[in-house]
């Protein structure tokens, strides 16, 4: 079978400013097809793609810059994509974007990140965004065709991996993500974001994640859909004000079940009231079966904002001073329990001074 290959061996720089006539920049693209093809393809980045925009620019929503774009059409091409090295310097940029403006599945496309890294430096930028399935329709994991992602998250309000597959089964493990490292300049972002899928986090993913820097970052952000976590989560001593898992933004049907143990060792930030939170239920249903150990001062093991249900079966140990085992408030400023908190089994141990 003939193979069509497009390979970058040099340096590609994409630079947009507010005066751009067409506010779209793409480094390399696997185009959509609308009929069966007898030719397979290879899209290979052996060089480097750098995505940038004018310093200090604030771009409208239709401004979009992408290192590698993989589109879905009426038919799935048969193609292998090698990501290589991508630097996201510009605001609101994407390293790899799967789906584009089309919603068809890509069961015959594979994405390999081995030998390269996506560096996320630009504010509001995303390392990898998956918007269409990358696996066979009958598969239990509709991103099974992604392997060996290496992502460094070092941006304000950035995201490492975002999955936007409503209702689709997704399993994340250390074969899909080879490494994800949080840098010192990372703040207010998320390592992994689920938007609508039925996501399961395998315990092996702990081998790939290094969360020991930055501030106010969320390891697992479940915006909508269901999330089942089996991975132990560590909020390292080099971090400030981290969150292990945040459940729900607006939908009361959002659900998270945690089986992984969570350890909070972060450094408190004197400018904020709380340092770190193990599990945070913003809205929806949160069930915890893992053990949570809060060693940091001014930390919260399990925090309920306006969630429908918080059910805890794990053991909670609070060693930090001025810390909380379970804390619930409707407004976030008033100490009031307006969620349902069930301590079904397990123990809460408070060893720190002035804890609750």
């Amino acid at each position: 079978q003939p193979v069509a290959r497009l390979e970058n061996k040099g340096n590609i720089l994409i630079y947009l400013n507010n005066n751009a006539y067409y506010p779209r920049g793409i480094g390399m693209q696997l185009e959509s097809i609308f009929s069966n093809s007898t030719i397979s393809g290879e899209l290979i980045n052996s060089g480097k793609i750098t995505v940038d925009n004018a310093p200090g620019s604030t771009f409208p929503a239709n401004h979009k810059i992408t290192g590698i774009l993989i589109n879905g059409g009426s038919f799935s091409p048969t193609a292998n994509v090698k990501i290589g090295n991508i630097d996201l310097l510009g605001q609101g940029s994407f390293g790899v974007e799967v789906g584009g403006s089309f919603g068809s599945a890509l069961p015959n496309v594979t994405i390999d990140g081995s030998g390269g890294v996506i560096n996320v430096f630009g504010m509001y930028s995303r390392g990898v965004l998956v918007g269409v399935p990358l696996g066979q329709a009958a598969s239990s994991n509709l991103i099974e065709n992604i392997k060996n992602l290496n992502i460094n998250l070092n941006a304000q309000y950035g995201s490492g991996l975002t999955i936007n597959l409503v209702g689709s089964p997704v399993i994340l493990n250390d074969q899909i993500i080879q490494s994800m490292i949080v840098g010192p300049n990372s703040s207010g972002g998320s390592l992994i974001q689920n938007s609508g899928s039925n996501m399961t986090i395998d315990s092996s993913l702990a081998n790939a994640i290094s969360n020991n820097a930055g501030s106010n970052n969320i390891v697992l952000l479940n915006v909508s859909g269901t999330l089942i976590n089996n991975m132990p989560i560590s909020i390292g001593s080099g971090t400030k004000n981290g969150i292990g898992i945040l459940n729900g933004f607006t939908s009361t049907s959002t659900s998270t079940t945690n089986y992984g143990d969570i350890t909070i060792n972060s450094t408190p930030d004197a400018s904020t009231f709380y340092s770190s939170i193990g599990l945070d239920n913003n809205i929806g249903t949160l069930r915890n079966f893992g053990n949570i150990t809060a060693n940091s001062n001014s930390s919260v093991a399990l925090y309920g904002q306006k969630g429908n249900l918080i059910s805890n079966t794990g053991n909670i140990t609070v060693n930090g001073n001025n810390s909380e085992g379970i804390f619930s408030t409707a407004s976030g400023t008033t100490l009031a329990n307006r969620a349902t908190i069930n301590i079904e089994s397990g123990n809460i141990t408070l060893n720190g001074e002035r804890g609750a």
Side-chain angles (χ1 to χ4, degrees), residues 216-291:
N216 297 296
N217 292 306
I218 304 166
V219 178
L220 300 177
L221 172 58
N222 189 25
V223 174
S224 60
T226 62
L227 174 67
I228 298 175
N229 177 53
N230 299 296
M231 173 183 69
I233 294 175
S234 174
I235 304 176
S237 59
T239 65
K240 291 183 178 179
N241 303 359
I243 297 177
I245 302 176
L246 175 62
N247 181 65
F249 262 30
T250 58
S251 174
T252 57
S253 63
T254 305
S255 172
T256 292
T257 302
N258 176 58
Y259 294 97
D261 292 344
I262 299 175
T263 305
I264 302 173
N265 290 316
S266 58
T267 302
D269 187 342
S271 65
T272 58
F273 190 67
Y274 284 111
S275 63
S276 289
I277 300 171
L279 296 174
D280 186 346
N281 193 37
N282 181 52
I283 192 170
T285 299
L286 175 64
R287 296 180 176 89
N288 177 50
F289 296 90
N291 300 317

Side-chain angles (χ1 to χ4, degrees), residues 103-118:
S104 300
L106 296 166
N108 302 320
V109 174
T110 61
I111 298 175
D112 185 4
S114 60
V117 62
I118 300 173

Side-chain angles (χ1 to χ4, degrees), residues 157-181:
Y157 309 123
S159 172
L161 172 63
T162 301
I163 305 295
N164 186 14
L165 299 175
V166 176
S168 297
V170 168
I171 301 173
L172 282 177
N173 53 40
D174 63 354
Q175 294 182 11
I176 292 174
I177 299 177
Q178 191 173 66
S179 69
M180 186 173 290
I181 300 173

